[in-house]
Amino acid sequence: MNTADRSVGHIDYAIRRRFAFVDVLPKNLTTELNNDFMIDSFEKVTSLFLKNYNPDLEYNDDSTMIERSEYLTNDFDPKDVWLGHSYFIKQYEKDENGNNIEDNPIDFEFRIKYEIKPILEEYVKDGILKESAKEIINSL
């Protein structure tokens, strides 16, 4: 946990005392989104957190065993640091009414370069992911 996170930790406890929280773990959204879900990138990033990811399993089910990847340090539970599926949903330019312009998707490489890679690199710096994860991160 970085210094900023620690300084607001008491706020987190206060919020948790007042509200119920439900874990919503990442999942493969190809059934719902077809080609608008970047499954290859999702599975590559997921391999940093889970060993032998199975898209047919429901990881939100408490009975499903989550096996830690070799890249994740023992101090962290995969469900607490695994990147969410929203990072891997293709985005589109919007028209003046806020509707997707289907012929104009936003380059997914931009999201990898400026959203996904930076958080994964920070995970390595903070000791959440091991140094060996850098090879997969660089290959994204």
PDB file of all heavy atoms in Angstrom, residues 107-137:
ATOM      1  N   ASP A 107      -8.386   3.370 -30.590  1.00  0.00           N
ATOM      2  CA  ASP A 107      -7.270   2.434 -30.673  1.00  0.00           C
ATOM      3  C   ASP A 107      -7.010   1.800 -29.304  1.00  0.00           C
ATOM      4  O   ASP A 107      -6.707   2.503 -28.332  1.00  0.00           O
ATOM      5  CB  ASP A 107      -6.028   3.148 -31.178  1.00  0.00           C
ATOM      6  CG  ASP A 107      -4.854   2.226 -31.413  1.00  0.00           C
ATOM      7  OD1 ASP A 107      -5.026   0.993 -31.355  1.00  0.00           O
ATOM      8  OD2 ASP A 107      -3.753   2.744 -31.651  1.00  0.00           O
ATOM      9  N   PHE A 108      -7.126   0.482 -29.221  1.00  0.00           N
ATOM     10  CA  PHE A 108      -6.936  -0.227 -27.954  1.00  0.00           C
ATOM     11  C   PHE A 108      -5.500  -0.134 -27.464  1.00  0.00           C
ATOM     12  O   PHE A 108      -5.235  -0.204 -26.265  1.00  0.00           O
ATOM     13  CB  PHE A 108      -7.375  -1.688 -28.087  1.00  0.00           C
ATOM     14  CG  PHE A 108      -7.395  -2.422 -26.777  1.00  0.00           C
ATOM     15  CD1 PHE A 108      -8.342  -2.116 -25.813  1.00  0.00           C
ATOM     16  CD2 PHE A 108      -6.467  -3.401 -26.511  1.00  0.00           C
ATOM     17  CE1 PHE A 108      -8.350  -2.780 -24.605  1.00  0.00           C
ATOM     18  CE2 PHE A 108      -6.470  -4.074 -25.300  1.00  0.00           C
ATOM     19  CZ  PHE A 108      -7.423  -3.764 -24.342  1.00  0.00           C
ATOM     20  N   GLU A 109      -4.562   0.072 -28.365  1.00  0.00           N
ATOM     21  CA  GLU A 109      -3.160   0.216 -27.978  1.00  0.00           C
ATOM     22  C   GLU A 109      -2.967   1.425 -27.048  1.00  0.00           C
ATOM     23  O   GLU A 109      -2.099   1.420 -26.190  1.00  0.00           O
ATOM     24  CB  GLU A 109      -2.260   0.356 -29.210  1.00  0.00           C
ATOM     25  CG  GLU A 109      -2.187  -0.907 -30.050  1.00  0.00           C
ATOM     26  CD  GLU A 109      -1.654  -2.107 -29.275  1.00  0.00           C
ATOM     27  OE1 GLU A 109      -0.666  -1.958 -28.522  1.00  0.00           O
ATOM     28  OE2 GLU A 109      -2.242  -3.194 -29.406  1.00  0.00           O
ATOM     29  N   PHE A 110      -3.769   2.450 -27.234  1.00  0.00           N
ATOM     30  CA  PHE A 110      -3.725   3.625 -26.368  1.00  0.00           C
ATOM     31  C   PHE A 110      -4.054   3.223 -24.928  1.00  0.00           C
ATOM     32  O   PHE A 110      -3.388   3.636 -23.988  1.00  0.00           O
ATOM     33  CB  PHE A 110      -4.724   4.676 -26.876  1.00  0.00           C
ATOM     34  CG  PHE A 110      -4.704   5.953 -26.096  1.00  0.00           C
ATOM     35  CD1 PHE A 110      -3.807   6.961 -26.402  1.00  0.00           C
ATOM     36  CD2 PHE A 110      -5.598   6.153 -25.045  1.00  0.00           C
ATOM     37  CE1 PHE A 110      -3.783   8.142 -25.683  1.00  0.00           C
ATOM     38  CE2 PHE A 110      -5.579   7.331 -24.315  1.00  0.00           C
ATOM     39  CZ  PHE A 110      -4.675   8.330 -24.635  1.00  0.00           C
ATOM     40  N   ARG A 111      -5.091   2.409 -24.768  1.00  0.00           N
ATOM     41  CA  ARG A 111      -5.493   1.947 -23.437  1.00  0.00           C
ATOM     42  C   ARG A 111      -4.409   1.070 -22.816  1.00  0.00           C
ATOM     43  O   ARG A 111      -4.112   1.190 -21.635  1.00  0.00           O
ATOM     44  CB  ARG A 111      -6.809   1.183 -23.531  1.00  0.00           C
ATOM     45  CG  ARG A 111      -7.286   0.697 -22.194  1.00  0.00           C
ATOM     46  CD  ARG A 111      -8.699   0.248 -22.244  1.00  0.00           C
ATOM     47  NE  ARG A 111      -9.455   1.285 -21.564  1.00  0.00           N
ATOM     48  CZ  ARG A 111     -10.745   1.192 -21.321  1.00  0.00           C
ATOM     49  NH1 ARG A 111     -11.428   0.164 -21.744  1.00  0.00           N
ATOM     50  NH2 ARG A 111     -11.364   2.144 -20.677  1.00  0.00           N
ATOM     51  N   ILE A 112      -3.803   0.202 -23.607  1.00  0.00           N
ATOM     52  CA  ILE A 112      -2.726  -0.648 -23.083  1.00  0.00           C
ATOM     53  C   ILE A 112      -1.564   0.216 -22.617  1.00  0.00           C
ATOM     54  O   ILE A 112      -1.055   0.045 -21.508  1.00  0.00           O
ATOM     55  CB  ILE A 112      -2.266  -1.667 -24.146  1.00  0.00           C
ATOM     56  CG1 ILE A 112      -3.335  -2.742 -24.325  1.00  0.00           C
ATOM     57  CG2 ILE A 112      -0.934  -2.294 -23.753  1.00  0.00           C
ATOM     58  CD1 ILE A 112      -3.048  -3.737 -25.420  1.00  0.00           C
ATOM     59  N   LYS A 113      -1.171   1.177 -23.447  1.00  0.00           N
ATOM     60  CA  LYS A 113       0.003   2.005 -23.150  1.00  0.00           C
ATOM     61  C   LYS A 113      -0.214   2.942 -21.961  1.00  0.00           C
ATOM     62  O   LYS A 113       0.692   3.133 -21.153  1.00  0.00           O
ATOM     63  CB  LYS A 113       0.378   2.818 -24.390  1.00  0.00           C
ATOM     64  CG  LYS A 113       1.617   3.654 -24.223  1.00  0.00           C
ATOM     65  CD  LYS A 113       1.993   4.342 -25.522  1.00  0.00           C
ATOM     66  CE  LYS A 113       3.256   5.167 -25.347  1.00  0.00           C
ATOM     67  NZ  LYS A 113       3.642   5.813 -26.603  1.00  0.00           N
ATOM     68  N   TYR A 114      -1.408   3.521 -21.842  1.00  0.00           N
ATOM     69  CA  TYR A 114      -1.619   4.569 -20.847  1.00  0.00           C
ATOM     70  C   TYR A 114      -2.480   4.158 -19.649  1.00  0.00           C
ATOM     71  O   TYR A 114      -2.575   4.920 -18.689  1.00  0.00           O
ATOM     72  CB  TYR A 114      -2.222   5.814 -21.505  1.00  0.00           C
ATOM     73  CG  TYR A 114      -1.252   6.454 -22.460  1.00  0.00           C
ATOM     74  CD1 TYR A 114      -1.401   6.312 -23.830  1.00  0.00           C
ATOM     75  CD2 TYR A 114      -0.151   7.159 -21.987  1.00  0.00           C
ATOM     76  CE1 TYR A 114      -0.501   6.889 -24.711  1.00  0.00           C
ATOM     77  CE2 TYR A 114       0.755   7.740 -22.858  1.00  0.00           C
ATOM     78  CZ  TYR A 114       0.569   7.595 -24.219  1.00  0.00           C
ATOM     79  OH  TYR A 114       1.470   8.161 -25.080  1.00  0.00           O
ATOM     80  N   GLU A 115      -3.093   2.988 -19.684  1.00  0.00           N
ATOM     81  CA  GLU A 115      -3.906   2.545 -18.560  1.00  0.00           C
ATOM     82  C   GLU A 115      -3.441   1.211 -17.982  1.00  0.00           C
ATOM     83  O   GLU A 115      -3.211   1.106 -16.780  1.00  0.00           O
ATOM     84  CB  GLU A 115      -5.380   2.442 -18.966  1.00  0.00           C
ATOM     85  CG  GLU A 115      -6.018   3.769 -19.292  1.00  0.00           C
ATOM     86  CD  GLU A 115      -7.481   3.635 -19.669  1.00  0.00           C
ATOM     87  OE1 GLU A 115      -8.194   2.815 -19.057  1.00  0.00           O
ATOM     88  OE2 GLU A 115      -7.913   4.342 -20.593  1.00  0.00           O
ATOM     89  N   ILE A 116      -3.326   0.209 -18.840  1.00  0.00           N
ATOM     90  CA  ILE A 116      -3.050  -1.145 -18.359  1.00  0.00           C
ATOM     91  C   ILE A 116      -1.589  -1.321 -17.958  1.00  0.00           C
ATOM     92  O   ILE A 116      -1.298  -1.745 -16.832  1.00  0.00           O
ATOM     93  CB  ILE A 116      -3.487  -2.187 -19.411  1.00  0.00           C
ATOM     94  CG1 ILE A 116      -5.011  -2.094 -19.617  1.00  0.00           C
ATOM     95  CG2 ILE A 116      -3.067  -3.586 -18.989  1.00  0.00           C
ATOM     96  CD1 ILE A 116      -5.543  -2.907 -20.777  1.00  0.00           C
ATOM     97  N   LYS A 117      -0.678  -1.003 -18.854  1.00  0.00           N
ATOM     98  CA  LYS A 117       0.746  -1.170 -18.534  1.00  0.00           C
ATOM     99  C   LYS A 117       1.184  -0.361 -17.311  1.00  0.00           C
ATOM    100  O   LYS A 117       1.895  -0.892 -16.463  1.00  0.00           O
ATOM    101  CB  LYS A 117       1.625  -0.831 -19.745  1.00  0.00           C
ATOM    102  CG  LYS A 117       1.753  -1.952 -20.725  1.00  0.00           C
ATOM    103  CD  LYS A 117       2.764  -1.575 -21.806  1.00  0.00           C
ATOM    104  CE  LYS A 117       3.075  -2.735 -22.694  1.00  0.00           C
ATOM    105  NZ  LYS A 117       4.110  -2.387 -23.684  1.00  0.00           N
ATOM    106  N   PRO A 118       0.787   0.906 -17.197  1.00  0.00           N
ATOM    107  CA  PRO A 118       1.242   1.669 -16.021  1.00  0.00           C
ATOM    108  C   PRO A 118       0.832   1.059 -14.685  1.00  0.00           C
ATOM    109  O   PRO A 118       1.632   1.029 -13.756  1.00  0.00           O
ATOM    110  CB  PRO A 118       0.610   3.049 -16.223  1.00  0.00           C
ATOM    111  CG  PRO A 118       0.463   3.166 -17.697  1.00  0.00           C
ATOM    112  CD  PRO A 118       0.114   1.780 -18.163  1.00  0.00           C
ATOM    113  N   ILE A 119      -0.385   0.554 -14.584  1.00  0.00           N
ATOM    114  CA  ILE A 119      -0.791  -0.032 -13.301  1.00  0.00           C
ATOM    115  C   ILE A 119      -0.048  -1.339 -13.051  1.00  0.00           C
ATOM    116  O   ILE A 119       0.365  -1.625 -11.921  1.00  0.00           O
ATOM    117  CB  ILE A 119      -2.323  -0.202 -13.177  1.00  0.00           C
ATOM    118  CG1 ILE A 119      -2.682  -0.490 -11.715  1.00  0.00           C
ATOM    119  CG2 ILE A 119      -2.849  -1.292 -14.085  1.00  0.00           C
ATOM    120  CD1 ILE A 119      -4.150  -0.388 -11.407  1.00  0.00           C
ATOM    121  N   LEU A 120       0.194  -2.115 -14.095  1.00  0.00           N
ATOM    122  CA  LEU A 120       0.944  -3.366 -13.919  1.00  0.00           C
ATOM    123  C   LEU A 120       2.397  -3.074 -13.537  1.00  0.00           C
ATOM    124  O   LEU A 120       2.972  -3.765 -12.683  1.00  0.00           O
ATOM    125  CB  LEU A 120       0.871  -4.216 -15.188  1.00  0.00           C
ATOM    126  CG  LEU A 120      -0.520  -4.743 -15.537  1.00  0.00           C
ATOM    127  CD1 LEU A 120      -0.497  -5.435 -16.896  1.00  0.00           C
ATOM    128  CD2 LEU A 120      -1.047  -5.676 -14.455  1.00  0.00           C
ATOM    129  N   GLU A 121       2.976  -2.055 -14.152  1.00  0.00           N
ATOM    130  CA  GLU A 121       4.350  -1.670 -13.796  1.00  0.00           C
ATOM    131  C   GLU A 121       4.415  -1.167 -12.350  1.00  0.00           C
ATOM    132  O   GLU A 121       5.374  -1.430 -11.635  1.00  0.00           O
ATOM    133  CB  GLU A 121       4.867  -0.619 -14.777  1.00  0.00           C
ATOM    134  CG  GLU A 121       5.124  -1.202 -16.152  1.00  0.00           C
ATOM    135  CD  GLU A 121       5.309  -0.171 -17.249  1.00  0.00           C
ATOM    136  OE1 GLU A 121       5.074   1.048 -17.001  1.00  0.00           O
ATOM    137  OE2 GLU A 121       5.680  -0.567 -18.367  1.00  0.00           O
ATOM    138  N   GLU A 122       3.383  -0.468 -11.921  1.00  0.00           N
ATOM    139  CA  GLU A 122       3.312  -0.010 -10.531  1.00  0.00           C
ATOM    140  C   GLU A 122       3.186  -1.215  -9.589  1.00  0.00           C
ATOM    141  O   GLU A 122       3.763  -1.219  -8.505  1.00  0.00           O
ATOM    142  CB  GLU A 122       2.125   0.943 -10.354  1.00  0.00           C
ATOM    143  CG  GLU A 122       2.149   1.731  -9.084  1.00  0.00           C
ATOM    144  CD  GLU A 122       3.264   2.753  -9.024  1.00  0.00           C
ATOM    145  OE1 GLU A 122       3.716   3.249 -10.064  1.00  0.00           O
ATOM    146  OE2 GLU A 122       3.694   3.058  -7.893  1.00  0.00           O
ATOM    147  N   TYR A 123       2.440  -2.218  -9.997  1.00  0.00           N
ATOM    148  CA  TYR A 123       2.321  -3.452  -9.209  1.00  0.00           C
ATOM    149  C   TYR A 123       3.692  -4.104  -9.017  1.00  0.00           C
ATOM    150  O   TYR A 123       3.983  -4.639  -7.953  1.00  0.00           O
ATOM    151  CB  TYR A 123       1.381  -4.440  -9.890  1.00  0.00           C
ATOM    152  CG  TYR A 123      -0.099  -4.242  -9.638  1.00  0.00           C
ATOM    153  CD1 TYR A 123      -0.596  -3.154  -8.910  1.00  0.00           C
ATOM    154  CD2 TYR A 123      -1.021  -5.159 -10.125  1.00  0.00           C
ATOM    155  CE1 TYR A 123      -1.952  -3.000  -8.688  1.00  0.00           C
ATOM    156  CE2 TYR A 123      -2.377  -5.016  -9.893  1.00  0.00           C
ATOM    157  CZ  TYR A 123      -2.843  -3.932  -9.180  1.00  0.00           C
ATOM    158  OH  TYR A 123      -4.188  -3.804  -8.944  1.00  0.00           O
ATOM    159  N   VAL A 124       4.533  -4.066 -10.048  1.00  0.00           N
ATOM    160  CA  VAL A 124       5.884  -4.628  -9.916  1.00  0.00           C
ATOM    161  C   VAL A 124       6.691  -3.782  -8.932  1.00  0.00           C
ATOM    162  O   VAL A 124       7.335  -4.317  -8.027  1.00  0.00           O
ATOM    163  CB  VAL A 124       6.594  -4.717 -11.289  1.00  0.00           C
ATOM    164  CG1 VAL A 124       8.048  -5.131 -11.124  1.00  0.00           C
ATOM    165  CG2 VAL A 124       5.861  -5.704 -12.210  1.00  0.00           C
ATOM    166  N   LYS A 125       6.647  -2.464  -9.075  1.00  0.00           N
ATOM    167  CA  LYS A 125       7.392  -1.574  -8.175  1.00  0.00           C
ATOM    168  C   LYS A 125       6.963  -1.740  -6.727  1.00  0.00           C
ATOM    169  O   LYS A 125       7.783  -1.657  -5.814  1.00  0.00           O
ATOM    170  CB  LYS A 125       7.194  -0.112  -8.578  1.00  0.00           C
ATOM    171  CG  LYS A 125       7.917   0.294  -9.821  1.00  0.00           C
ATOM    172  CD  LYS A 125       7.640   1.764 -10.104  1.00  0.00           C
ATOM    173  CE  LYS A 125       8.020   2.106 -11.515  1.00  0.00           C
ATOM    174  NZ  LYS A 125       7.566   3.456 -11.895  1.00  0.00           N
ATOM    175  N   ASP A 126       5.662  -1.958  -6.508  1.00  0.00           N
ATOM    176  CA  ASP A 126       5.125  -2.069  -5.153  1.00  0.00           C
ATOM    177  C   ASP A 126       5.219  -3.481  -4.583  1.00  0.00           C
ATOM    178  O   ASP A 126       4.770  -3.719  -3.471  1.00  0.00           O
ATOM    179  CB  ASP A 126       3.670  -1.603  -5.117  1.00  0.00           C
ATOM    180  CG  ASP A 126       3.534  -0.094  -5.289  1.00  0.00           C
ATOM    181  OD1 ASP A 126       4.547   0.620  -5.160  1.00  0.00           O
ATOM    182  OD2 ASP A 126       2.403   0.367  -5.539  1.00  0.00           O
ATOM    183  N   GLY A 127       5.762  -4.418  -5.360  1.00  0.00           N
ATOM    184  CA  GLY A 127       5.935  -5.776  -4.858  1.00  0.00           C
ATOM    185  C   GLY A 127       4.686  -6.636  -4.906  1.00  0.00           C
ATOM    186  O   GLY A 127       4.630  -7.687  -4.272  1.00  0.00           O
ATOM    187  N   ILE A 128       3.701  -6.213  -5.664  1.00  0.00           N
ATOM    188  CA  ILE A 128       2.490  -7.029  -5.839  1.00  0.00           C
ATOM    189  C   ILE A 128       2.767  -8.113  -6.866  1.00  0.00           C
ATOM    190  O   ILE A 128       2.447  -9.281  -6.655  1.00  0.00           O
ATOM    191  CB  ILE A 128       1.297  -6.145  -6.256  1.00  0.00           C
ATOM    192  CG1 ILE A 128       0.981  -5.153  -5.135  1.00  0.00           C
ATOM    193  CG2 ILE A 128       0.087  -6.994  -6.606  1.00  0.00           C
ATOM    194  CD1 ILE A 128       0.008  -4.051  -5.525  1.00  0.00           C
ATOM    195  N   LEU A 129       3.369  -7.706  -7.967  1.00  0.00           N
ATOM    196  CA  LEU A 129       3.819  -8.658  -8.983  1.00  0.00           C
ATOM    197  C   LEU A 129       5.331  -8.787  -8.898  1.00  0.00           C
ATOM    198  O   LEU A 129       6.030  -7.820  -8.569  1.00  0.00           O
ATOM    199  CB  LEU A 129       3.427  -8.181 -10.390  1.00  0.00           C
ATOM    200  CG  LEU A 129       1.941  -8.196 -10.727  1.00  0.00           C
ATOM    201  CD1 LEU A 129       1.697  -7.517 -12.076  1.00  0.00           C
ATOM    202  CD2 LEU A 129       1.392  -9.619 -10.743  1.00  0.00           C
ATOM    203  N   LYS A 130       5.819  -9.965  -9.217  1.00  0.00           N
ATOM    204  CA  LYS A 130       7.265 -10.220  -9.198  1.00  0.00           C
ATOM    205  C   LYS A 130       7.917  -9.617 -10.448  1.00  0.00           C
ATOM    206  O   LYS A 130       7.249  -9.355 -11.450  1.00  0.00           O
ATOM    207  CB  LYS A 130       7.520 -11.731  -9.162  1.00  0.00           C
ATOM    208  CG  LYS A 130       6.995 -12.387  -7.901  1.00  0.00           C
ATOM    209  CD  LYS A 130       7.189 -13.888  -7.963  1.00  0.00           C
ATOM    210  CE  LYS A 130       6.590 -14.566  -6.731  1.00  0.00           C
ATOM    211  NZ  LYS A 130       6.662 -16.029  -6.830  1.00  0.00           N
ATOM    212  N   GLU A 131       9.226  -9.437 -10.366  1.00  0.00           N
ATOM    213  CA  GLU A 131       9.995  -8.900 -11.498  1.00  0.00           C
ATOM    214  C   GLU A 131       9.800  -9.737 -12.758  1.00  0.00           C
ATOM    215  O   GLU A 131       9.839  -9.217 -13.874  1.00  0.00           O
ATOM    216  CB  GLU A 131      11.484  -8.839 -11.145  1.00  0.00           C
ATOM    217  CG  GLU A 131      11.837  -7.773 -10.138  1.00  0.00           C
ATOM    218  CD  GLU A 131      11.801  -6.367 -10.706  1.00  0.00           C
ATOM    219  OE1 GLU A 131      12.124  -6.191 -11.898  1.00  0.00           O
ATOM    220  OE2 GLU A 131      11.444  -5.461  -9.950  1.00  0.00           O
ATOM    221  N   SER A 132       9.574 -11.027 -12.598  1.00  0.00           N
ATOM    222  CA  SER A 132       9.400 -11.912 -13.754  1.00  0.00           C
ATOM    223  C   SER A 132       8.158 -11.554 -14.573  1.00  0.00           C
ATOM    224  O   SER A 132       8.042 -11.950 -15.732  1.00  0.00           O
ATOM    225  CB  SER A 132       9.328 -13.371 -13.304  1.00  0.00           C
ATOM    226  OG  SER A 132       8.273 -13.561 -12.376  1.00  0.00           O
ATOM    227  N   ALA A 133       7.246 -10.783 -14.007  1.00  0.00           N
ATOM    228  CA  ALA A 133       6.041 -10.368 -14.723  1.00  0.00           C
ATOM    229  C   ALA A 133       6.348  -9.345 -15.808  1.00  0.00           C
ATOM    230  O   ALA A 133       5.558  -9.164 -16.734  1.00  0.00           O
ATOM    231  CB  ALA A 133       5.021  -9.796 -13.744  1.00  0.00           C
ATOM    232  N   LYS A 134       7.498  -8.681 -15.716  1.00  0.00           N
ATOM    233  CA  LYS A 134       7.844  -7.631 -16.684  1.00  0.00           C
ATOM    234  C   LYS A 134       7.853  -8.136 -18.123  1.00  0.00           C
ATOM    235  O   LYS A 134       7.492  -7.400 -19.038  1.00  0.00           O
ATOM    236  CB  LYS A 134       9.197  -7.014 -16.341  1.00  0.00           C
ATOM    237  CG  LYS A 134       9.156  -6.070 -15.176  1.00  0.00           C
ATOM    238  CD  LYS A 134      10.500  -5.424 -14.970  1.00  0.00           C
ATOM    239  CE  LYS A 134      10.447  -4.370 -13.893  1.00  0.00           C
ATOM    240  NZ  LYS A 134      11.752  -3.719 -13.711  1.00  0.00           N
ATOM    241  N   GLU A 135       8.254  -9.369 -18.324  1.00  0.00           N
ATOM    242  CA  GLU A 135       8.297  -9.919 -19.675  1.00  0.00           C
ATOM    243  C   GLU A 135       6.890  -9.942 -20.295  1.00  0.00           C
ATOM    244  O   GLU A 135       6.700  -9.564 -21.445  1.00  0.00           O
ATOM    245  CB  GLU A 135       8.892 -11.328 -19.662  1.00  0.00           C
ATOM    246  CG  GLU A 135       9.108 -11.902 -21.034  1.00  0.00           C
ATOM    247  CD  GLU A 135       9.791 -13.267 -21.003  1.00  0.00           C
ATOM    248  OE1 GLU A 135      10.541 -13.545 -20.047  1.00  0.00           O
ATOM    249  OE2 GLU A 135       9.569 -14.043 -21.936  1.00  0.00           O
ATOM    250  N   ILE A 136       5.894 -10.370 -19.529  1.00  0.00           N
ATOM    251  CA  ILE A 136       4.526 -10.403 -20.037  1.00  0.00           C
ATOM    252  C   ILE A 136       3.997  -8.979 -20.205  1.00  0.00           C
ATOM    253  O   ILE A 136       3.347  -8.667 -21.198  1.00  0.00           O
ATOM    254  CB  ILE A 136       3.619 -11.233 -19.101  1.00  0.00           C
ATOM    255  CG1 ILE A 136       3.995 -12.707 -19.194  1.00  0.00           C
ATOM    256  CG2 ILE A 136       2.143 -11.044 -19.452  1.00  0.00           C
ATOM    257  CD1 ILE A 136       3.270 -13.621 -18.267  1.00  0.00           C
ATOM    258  N   ILE A 137       4.289  -8.117 -19.242  1.00  0.00           N
ATOM    259  CA  ILE A 137       3.821  -6.723 -19.330  1.00  0.00           C
ATOM    260  C   ILE A 137       4.391  -6.065 -20.586  1.00  0.00           C
ATOM    261  O   ILE A 137       3.649  -5.402 -21.325  1.00  0.00           O
ATOM    262  CB  ILE A 137       4.232  -5.947 -18.055  1.00  0.00           C
ATOM    263  CG1 ILE A 137       3.502  -6.506 -16.838  1.00  0.00           C
ATOM    264  CG2 ILE A 137       3.951  -4.450 -18.233  1.00  0.00           C
ATOM    265  CD1 ILE A 137       4.041  -6.010 -15.509  1.00  0.00           C
TER     266      ILE A 137
END
